[in-house]
Amino acid sequence: MDRQVSLSRTEMFSFLNPWIRYFLFFFSFLFWVFSLLIVAIGVYAKAQKATDTVRDSFLIDPAVILIVVGVVMFFITFCGCIGALRENIRLLKIFSFSLTLVFLTQMAIAILGFFYSEQTRDALGEFVKKAIVHYRDDLDLQNLMDYIQKEFKCCGWTNYTDWSWNPYFNCSSSNPSNERCSVPFSCCTPLPRETVINSMCGFGIQTQNHLNATKSIYSVGCADRAVIWIESHLLLFGALTLGLALPQIAGIVLSQILISEIRSVM
């Protein structure tokens, strides 16, 4: 009896297309390793921070986002690796279903973001507001905001006065901070041949009117800059979207083909 089971198992392996099986395995294995790298980076970034974490900024913490994305990727790709290697229909179904769910979720978010652009803008505004409020409390958020403002040449969400949301930069007379009425250095326009960053270039900017502030900082908000950037980089935006979708579609199709082949020889 055991001999017959062994022979039938050997026949099943021989009938399956090895190219599909091993391509799906290496495809999943590559993203499995990538997911471990993402988790490692997220854990390292979280461990480097102070133990006194800010609860309100937990959900917008880049380190936490990396860990969550990495763990989800690890689970999905692990099912793909083992399912393809062991020709396990249950794991392949989990892999295919999970990829389909992720793909449909991304599609739904993209469609809702397109048709409800105002609500999407408000949601992004809330994210940026929290990032501004906790700018000095979270080093990752600080680096993220500085990168966005320098790359997009913007300051704040709507304009530079948004930095009054931050308790250190708040412009109220009761604020004892030395950075009162200031903005971060990432808002400042670079001077010609400047080799050393002037970290105090944004001091007292919020007390100036828009015309005077424009002379030393980016007075345009990041919301308007983001819209301009997307409109001027539609081809790149489409290519990135396609590059994100194709691996997911390939994984779904390959897993379904392998499931069909396994069933056909059972």
Side-chain angles (χ1 to χ4, degrees), residues 37 50 97 230 235 264:
L37 181 63
F97 174 78
I230 292 174
L235 186 61
S264 65

Side-chain angles (χ1 to χ4, degrees), residues 165-178:
W165 294 333
N166 185 280
Y168 294 93
F169 299 123
N170 187 273
C171 216
S172 61
S173 57
S174 59
N175 183 12
S177 172
N178 292 329

Side-chain angles (χ1 to χ4, degrees), residues 46-58 61 134 136-139 168:
K46 193 67 179 172
Q48 290 299 307
K49 295 181 183 179
T51 55
D52 185 19
T53 56
V54 182
R55 184 178 299 177
D56 193 38
S57 66
F58 182 79
D61 189 341
H134 298 292
R136 289 299 190 204
D137 304 322
D138 191 316
L139 184 60
Y168 294 93

Side-chain angles (χ1 to χ4, degrees), residues 53-71:
T53 56
V54 182
R55 184 178 299 177
D56 193 38
S57 66
F58 182 79
L59 294 178
I60 60 172
D61 189 341
V64 173
I65 294 173
L66 283 175
I67 293 171
V68 172
V69 171
V71 168

Side-chain angles (χ1 to χ4, degrees), residues 213-262:
T214 307
K215 297 177 182 178
S216 54
I217 66 166
Y218 304 119
S219 57
V220 180
C222 293
D224 295 331
R225 284 292 188 188
V227 172
I228 294 171
W229 186 89
I230 292 174
E231 289 177 349
S232 60
H233 294 81
L234 286 177
L235 186 61
L236 175 62
F237 199 72
L240 289 174
T241 305
L242 187 64
L244 186 65
L246 283 179
Q248 298 176 49
I249 295 173
I252 295 168
V253 172
L254 289 172
S255 59
Q256 288 299 321
I257 292 174
L258 190 56
I259 289 171
S260 299
E261 288 196 356
I262 294 172

Side-chain angles (χ1 to χ4, degrees), residues 17-31:
N17 190 332
W19 290 104
I20 295 175
R21 179 187 170 203
Y22 288 113
F23 183 80
L24 180 59
F25 169 75
F26 285 113
F27 171 85
S28 302
F29 181 76
L30 180 66
F31 283 95

Side-chain angles (χ1 to χ4, degrees), residues 14-264:
S14 64
F15 278 115
L16 294 179
N17 190 332
W19 290 104
I20 295 175
R21 179 187 170 203
Y22 288 113
F23 183 80
L24 180 59
F25 169 75
F26 285 113
F27 171 85
S28 302
F29 181 76
L30 180 66
F31 283 95
W32 180 73
V33 173
F34 184 61
S35 70
L36 287 177
L37 181 63
I38 292 176
V39 172
I41 294 173
V43 170
Y44 176 78
K46 193 67 179 172
Q48 290 299 307
K49 295 181 183 179
T51 55
D52 185 19
T53 56
V54 182
R55 184 178 299 177
D56 193 38
S57 66
F58 182 79
L59 294 178
I60 60 172
D61 189 341
V64 173
I65 294 173
L66 283 175
I67 293 171
V68 172
V69 171
V71 168
V72 172
M73 279 185 63
F74 176 87
F75 170 76
I76 295 174
T77 52
F78 177 81
C79 291
C81 281
I82 304 303
L85 190 64
R86 303 298 301 168
E87 297 172 4
N88 188 303
I89 291 181
R90 182 172 297 176
L91 288 177
L92 287 172
K93 282 183 176 180
I94 294 173
F95 174 74
S96 179
F97 174 78
S98 300
L99 272 185
T100 304
L101 186 63
V102 170
F103 178 73
L104 292 177
T105 302
Q106 292 171 348
M107 288 288 292
I109 291 173
I111 292 171
L112 290 173
F114 179 78
F115 286 104
Y116 297 94
S117 57
E118 287 299 321
Q119 289 84 344
T120 303
R121 181 169 175 152
D122 292 341
L124 287 174
E126 285 298 314
F127 176 87
V128 174
K129 181 177 181 178
K130 287 184 178 181
I132 289 175
V133 170
H134 298 292
Y135 178 79
R136 289 299 190 204
D137 304 322
D138 191 316
L139 184 60
D140 288 337
L141 285 178
Q142 182 174 322
N143 291 333
L144 178 62
M145 284 301 301
D146 286 338
Y147 176 80
I148 291 173
Q149 292 189 145
K150 285 189 289 187
E151 289 298 316
F152 285 90
K153 298 181 178 180
C154 58
C155 188
W157 179 241
T158 54
N159 56 56
Y160 61 95
T161 60
D162 289 344
W163 280 99
S164 268
W165 294 333
N166 185 280
Y168 294 93
F169 299 123
N170 187 273
C171 216
S172 61
S173 57
S174 59
N175 183 12
S177 172
N178 292 329
E179 296 179 304
R180 176 178 170 270
C181 293
S182 302
V183 295
F185 73 93
S186 54
C187 287
C188 300
T189 54
L191 298 175
R193 300 178 181 178
E194 184 181 41
T195 56
V196 180
I197 298 174
N198 180 11
S199 59
M200 301 181 67
C201 59
F203 271 52
I205 286 294
Q206 292 187 55
T207 59
Q208 300 180 17
N209 58 41
H210 185 273
L211 185 61
N212 290 330
T214 307
K215 297 177 182 178
S216 54
I217 66 166
Y218 304 119
S219 57
V220 180
C222 293
D224 295 331
R225 284 292 188 188
V227 172
I228 294 171
W229 186 89
I230 292 174
E231 289 177 349
S232 60
H233 294 81
L234 286 177
L235 186 61
L236 175 62
F237 199 72
L240 289 174
T241 305
L242 187 64
L244 186 65
L246 283 179
Q248 298 176 49
I249 295 173
I252 295 168
V253 172
L254 289 172
S255 59
Q256 288 299 321
I257 292 174
L258 190 56
I259 289 171
S260 299
E261 288 196 356
I262 294 172
R263 283 176 171 170
S264 65

